[in-house]
Amino acid sequence: MSEPLTGTTTWRPVMAAAGFRCQCTGQCGTPHAKGEGRCLHEHDGYTSKHGRRVRLIAAPVDPLASAVTAAALPAAELVAWCPDCHAAAARRARRAISSPAAEAPGLF
């Protein structure tokens, strides 16, 4: 099994708690129906679509948290993300923040 070069004392407990499987439950916009609502990507597994190895990351539940914020968090406050789900969740979160105020009734 591969591991990151640094931060293993934080990474290992997060991965063990996650069962070395991505903990995304749809934040990325995918319902993950085949995984009963949870992403099927496992650390060091291969993606079926692109045939590349999956390297899970330990990151905050909030995909927009800065690297500085993430580095200061204890392992108990981090979850396992596959890069695809983390990137998609971050895009969705950014879109939600920057969406126009047209949804607010009665502004104009």
Side-chain angles (χ1 to χ4, degrees), residues 49-65:
K49 191 173 185 179
H50 302 290
R52 58 178 163 70
R53 288 185 96 158
V54 175
R55 304 283 196 233
L56 296 181
I57 60 171
V61 173
D62 176 6
L64 296 181

Side-chain angles (χ1 to χ4, degrees), residues 60 62-71:
D62 176 6
L64 296 181
S66 70
V68 173
T69 300

Side-chain angles (χ1 to χ4, degrees), residues 26-104:
Q27 298 91 325
C28 66
T30 303
H32 300 301
K34 291 181 181 178
E36 298 177 2
R38 184 174 166 197
C39 179
L40 289 172
H41 288 159
E42 294 182 354
H43 186 69
D44 279 346
Y46 287 93
T47 61
S48 60
K49 191 173 185 179
H50 302 290
R52 58 178 163 70
R53 288 185 96 158
V54 175
R55 304 283 196 233
L56 296 181
I57 60 171
V61 173
D62 176 6
L64 296 181
S66 70
V68 173
T69 300
L73 293 174
E77 295 184 37
L78 302 172
V79 295
W81 287 93
C82 72
D84 294 340
C85 286
H86 190 262
R91 279 192 303 273
R92 287 190 69 189
R94 272 192 229 84
R95 256 193 312 251
I97 290 171
S98 64
S99 65
E103 297 176 16

